[in-house]
Amino acid sequence: MTPTRTLDELERYYTNLHSEAERLSSTIRGQFERQRMREFLAQYLPSAPAKIADIGGGPGVHATWLTQEGYEVELLDRVERHVDEARAAGISATLGDARKLPWKAESFDAVLMAGPMYHLSVRDHRILALQEAARVLRPGGLLLVVAINRTASLVGSAIANTLYQRQNIVRAILANGYSDENDRMPNTTYHTVTQLRGELSEVMPTVSIHGLTGPGGWLAVLVDSYFSDSDLPVSLTEHDPLQTALASSRMADELPELAHASSLLLGVARRV
């Protein structure tokens, strides 16, 4: 299926229908994702005060933490609301496009792309964004990108028991990585592990793929799907489900093949 939705529609979604800052702070899934990202950033990034580009950085949730850790951060996002929110949080933020970065070559020690790979539905556009990220990286610099696993829609629909209503959408995503009828986020592309590795490898020779959310992320999805407006049952209160989810995914990190069980993938590549 050929993607037909535009990035303007995506901008309307983030401006009028969805708060990314609230998602990463008020839901179990968002808190879990934020913590996992911080753990991988701490593992891979050079020591502060390295210079980091946060491309597609939204309202600056990750950039704020990085700044607090002593890094010099420049954020870029194509949604004006996000740029305004990031600036209000004290982040240096620019309105722009991942496919045409406003920075000089070899300006950054690391680049984080936590949004563009799944919001650029045309492959050539994703490669262009990766090439731009590589251009602004200094030799030896790190690129970290987030992608949505192609199986996430299938597993998530099964957990929420909405598979029968969404099966045409899920089948299209499994087959093509995209559905123009997707009712979650507009203009969203889903990757396989092999696909993400291949796209990154076109730009940089050294690539590793991790399960950003891992198997524990599905516990967070379940809690948010069924208990966001009610008290947790006893079976989910004996241990904090957020901590259980984190422990599960940390254990899965020891087995790289379990990245396939993760709803979100993290690709890490180094520029030569």
Side-chain angles (χ1 to χ4, degrees):
M1 183 177 295
T2 301
T4 60
R5 291 181 169 180
T6 68
L7 289 176
D8 288 338
E9 186 174 350
L10 186 70
E11 184 170 358
R12 288 193 293 272
Y13 170 80
Y14 279 112
T15 300
N16 302 319
L17 301 175
H18 174 82
S19 171
E20 183 67 3
E22 184 176 337
R23 181 187 75 83
L24 288 169
S25 61
S26 64
T27 67
I28 295 294
R29 182 180 181 182
Q31 294 173 52
F32 170 82
E33 180 185 328
R34 183 182 62 188
Q35 180 60 31
R36 286 282 290 172
M37 178 61 81
R38 290 180 178 181
E39 291 176 4
F40 277 109
L41 290 174
Q43 174 184 342
Y44 276 107
L45 289 181
S47 300
K51 190 173 182 180
I52 312 297
D54 188 359
I55 301 172
V61 173
H62 301 311
T64 297
W65 177 76
L66 288 167
T67 300
Q68 292 169 348
E69 293 295 304
Y71 290 96
E72 181 183 351
V73 183
E74 293 283 342
L75 182 145
L76 180 137
D77 201 276
R78 77 174 314 275
V79 178
E80 188 171 358
R81 173 189 177 182
H82 287 167
V83 172
D84 291 342
E85 289 175 337
R87 288 173 177 170
I91 303 300
S92 176
T94 301
L95 187 66
D97 192 311
R99 296 166 295 180
K100 189 176 181 180
L101 299 178
W103 304 307
K104 295 179 180 180
E106 300 185 3
S107 300
F108 295 92
D109 299 296
V111 170
L112 171 63
M113 293 175 58
M117 288 297 281
Y118 54 83
H119 285 322
L120 292 171
S121 51
V122 177
R123 186 182 187 278
D124 287 348
H125 293 182
R126 294 194 298 274
I127 298 301
L128 180 57
L130 292 174
Q131 290 171 338
E132 275 289 275
R135 179 183 66 81
V136 301
L137 271 175
R138 296 179 178 128
L142 280 173
L143 171 61
L144 299 96
V145 303
V146 177
I148 306 177
N149 195 333
R150 194 176 291 196
T151 62
S153 186
L154 171 64
V155 179
S157 295
I159 290 174
N161 199 25
T162 60
L163 180 60
Y164 286 102
Q165 301 97 296
R166 302 188 71 247
Q167 59 181 309
N168 290 338
I169 296 171
V170 171
R171 288 183 186 278
I173 291 171
L174 289 175
N176 308 303
Y178 183 88
S179 170
D180 199 47
E181 299 177 1
N182 191 1
D183 53 348
R184 294 298 183 257
M185 287 190 298
N187 221 63
T188 301
T189 292
Y190 300 73
H191 282 74
T192 65
V193 171
T194 300
Q195 178 187 6
L196 179 60
R197 187 187 304 278
E199 290 180 2
L200 280 167
S201 296
E202 286 201 24
V203 180
M204 295 185 183
T206 304
V207 177
S208 60
I209 307 295
H210 302 277
L212 176 59
T213 46
W218 295 115
L219 173 59
V221 169
L222 183 147
V223 171
D224 284 340
S225 295
Y226 292 106
F227 305 107
S228 59
D229 298 320
S230 62
D231 294 334
L232 293 175
V234 174
S235 61
L236 289 176
T237 59
E238 184 175 356
H239 300 286
D240 181 351
L242 175 58
Q243 296 306 315
T244 299
L246 288 168
S248 171
S249 292
R250 288 166 184 157
M251 292 175 68
D253 289 339
E254 301 173 13
L255 296 172
E257 59 268 29
L258 287 181
H260 295 271
S262 181
S263 63
L264 294 180
L265 305 171
L266 177 68
V268 181
R270 186 179 297 276
R271 180 184 168 182
V272 293

